[in-house]
Amino acid sequence: MAIKRIHHVAYRCNDAKETVEFYRDMLGMDFQLAIAENEVPSTKAPDPYMHVFLDAGQGNVLAFFELPNSPKMGRDVNTPEWVQHIAFEVESMDELLATKTKLEDAGVEVLGPVNHTIFKSIYFFDPNGHRMELAAQTAKPGMMAELKRVAPAMLDEWAITKKAPNHAAWLHNGADFDEKSFLGDK
């Protein structure tokens, strides 16, 4: 089997119309289609729903379910709010900053940009309480290749110690990244 791409990612929403309007108007996603049923096709449960699909770019689809007969939405209280989120890449820092301004002008609280060395991000919550991230790439040549190279060793060390390995400390310690300095230890 070979995965072609993500067909869609689905989240729950409080109000399908409000959700579509937010993603369309604030993030420029095109509303693709809606599916509504009074019975769940897979389980045959009598549970009406509205399922909406938005174009998140390059064949990626973000979908939402409104479930009017289910208890009010909650979140995983055992997981910090910053962990569960969906991140979208934007074309440039200019686009990232323009979108931040647009969101703030609409009354959305925005955190950032936060510098992650290989990209800069802004964070905010959609009308349903889902945390969103928009990111603009800022990686220097060789950074992504170096991160891929050290990933297996980092994962192995983490599995034993449950402490952050230092293989890519340059990401957050402010050290300059020089691609040539990493070529010799391959």
Side-chain angles (χ1 to χ4, degrees), residues 134-156:
L134 298 180
Q137 294 296 329
T138 58
K140 293 179 181 175
M143 285 182 168
M144 299 307 290
E146 176 59 13
L147 289 171
K148 182 173 176 60
R149 183 185 75 80
V150 299
M154 288 180 69
L155 185 60
D156 288 345

Side-chain angles (χ1 to χ4, degrees), residues 80-106:
E81 282 186 332
W82 60 268
V83 173
Q84 293 178 345
H85 67 282
I86 186 165
F88 297 101
E89 184 177 338
V90 297
E91 191 63 36
S92 66
M93 277 302 299
D94 288 342
E95 190 171 352
L96 184 72
L97 296 173
T99 304
K100 177 183 179 180
T101 299
K102 181 179 183 178
L103 288 162
E104 290 175 333
D105 289 349

